[in-house]
Amino acid sequence: MTDRAGLADFLRRRRDTLRPADVGLPAGTRRRAAGLRREEVAQLAGMSSDYYARIEQCRGPRPSTSIVAALALALRCDLDERDHMFHLAGLSPPSRRAGRHVRPGLISLADHLTDVPVCICTDLDETLWQNGLADSVLGPMPRAAGRPRNLCWRWFTDPDFPKRCPPADRPRLSAAHVGNLRATYARRGADPDVAALVDALRRGSAEFRALWDRHEVSVRRSDRKSVFHPEVGTLHLNCEVLLTPEEDLKVVALFPLEGTDARDKLELLRVIGPQHGRSAARCL
């Protein structure tokens, strides 16, 4: 059921917290209150001032999904506030997706892991951020966003990319890439970005196509990898994957495998990395 009074109160309070400058509007003159006016919210949301006024006055029909989504965007709501507004309107909130936005706190957390390679990726395995040690171990992050940064795409379409790993490990890692993508496809296969990537991989790689047709699904939360580096040799690493609550961003950290010399090699790369021009990559 729609909580009309609760929705109206939430809209008024949210409107009062915003200033015109917060939403790119001029402050103007003769403004009696510091917050946004009703007509300004209506303008930002693409609806009539009268319709918006009726929502705030607990009148009129229940707002539609598109209306609530537009108001959440106009009022600069975060995901929690957006979901709360949907519940007040008696509607199911959309699926949560952070998309390509990496919260500063997530980067701050990753920045503290200075002695291990760390990447932040989407659920489609597109790298959005990586630290300097990841640059040294995995190579600098491509400047162009999209497919050039997508690990799954590069694994199956770039013949040189899998050569960083021992030949004996490659079949297992290929299956892991596909199983992980299958899990994302199960959650949101109707989304254009997922469908386009799967379609392109099926057309571009016979290996991917054969593995995809097995229908094996597995979210990769940990793994063991051996990565060859031309200056220090092979590094034996434990890969730990931390998922965000929305499960569309993940922090991937590569820890040295106990009983190997990986820790010493990582420390050497951490020292010599800047001397070889490998500065830390950042989100674009």
Side-chain angles (χ1 to χ4, degrees):
M1 293 181 61
T2 304
D3 182 353
R4 294 180 181 275
L7 178 61
D9 186 61
F10 177 83
L11 291 172
R12 286 191 296 268
R13 290 177 183 275
R14 185 66 191 161
R15 178 165 62 84
D16 288 344
T17 65
L18 294 172
R19 304 294 183 269
D22 296 333
V23 295
L25 294 176
T29 58
R30 301 176 64 182
R31 184 176 292 271
R32 290 179 295 178
L36 295 180
R37 296 167 174 154
R38 285 177 178 170
E39 56 269 25
E40 290 171 334
V41 175
Q43 174 189 341
L44 291 167
M47 64 185 68
S48 71
S49 299
D50 178 67
Y51 183 79
Y52 178 74
R54 281 186 286 152
I55 297 175
E56 272 204 13
Q57 295 167 354
C58 305
R59 299 186 292 114
R62 182 179 74 176
S64 66
T65 296
S66 60
I67 288 293
V68 176
L71 287 172
L73 184 62
L75 293 169
R76 302 298 191 265
C77 294
D78 61 24
L79 288 175
D80 293 326
E81 291 164 336
R82 181 206 67 178
D83 289 357
H84 180 60
M85 190 187 301
F86 269 87
H87 288 305
L88 291 172
L91 300 167
S92 297
S95 60
R96 283 182 167 235
R97 291 200 59 228
R100 298 174 52 79
H101 174 67
V102 183
R103 299 191 310 275
L106 200 59
I107 295 178
S108 179
L109 170 66
D111 260 337
H112 281 78
L113 300 173
T114 58
D115 57 346
V116 296
V118 181
C119 307
I120 298 177
C121 304
T122 69
D123 58 355
L124 292 178
D125 276 341
E126 180 185 346
T127 304
L128 301 178
W129 181 97
Q130 65 185 34
N131 65 3
L133 197 49
D135 276 354
S136 296
V137 173
L138 305 174
M141 187 173 72
R143 296 187 64 83
R147 298 279 167 81
R149 292 188 191 174
N150 189 288
L151 301 176
C152 191
W153 174 259
R154 295 174 70 189
W155 182 269
F156 288 104
T157 64
D158 181 354
D160 292 328
F161 191 67
K163 291 180 180 178
R164 294 177 178 272
C165 301
D169 290 352
R170 293 173 197 170
R172 175 181 61 81
L173 294 172
S174 291
H177 275 299
V178 176
N180 196 66
L181 182 54
R182 265 287 183 190
T184 301
Y185 188 85
R187 287 193 298 114
R188 57 183 196 91
D191 291 355
D193 57 339
V194 182
L197 177 62
V198 171
D199 182 62
L201 282 167
R202 284 181 60 86
R203 287 185 283 105
S205 169
E207 181 188 13
F208 177 87
R209 189 164 56 250
L211 290 169
W212 185 260
D213 289 343
R214 292 183 189 176
H215 290 269
E216 295 175 353
V217 183
S218 59
V219 177
R220 184 161 45 175
R221 294 182 174 87
S222 64
D223 205 345
R224 184 169 292 184
K225 293 187 176 182
S226 296
V227 180
F228 176 75
H229 190 279
E231 295 176 46
V232 300
T234 301
L235 297 100
H236 301 285
L237 305 166
N238 280 324
C239 176
E240 292 294 333
V241 181
L242 307 177
L243 301 176
T244 58
E246 298 85 8
E247 294 192 5
D248 62 348
L249 288 181
K250 53 192 174 184
V251 178
V252 181
L254 301 171
F255 295 94
L257 181 64
E258 293 299 327
T260 73
D261 59 357
R263 188 179 303 277
D264 293 335
K265 290 179 176 178
L266 286 176
E267 178 59 25
L268 177 60
L269 288 173
R270 190 168 69 89
V271 173
I272 70 174
Q275 298 175 9
H276 289 256
R278 296 187 182 95
S279 59
R282 287 293 180 262
C283 296
L284 299 181

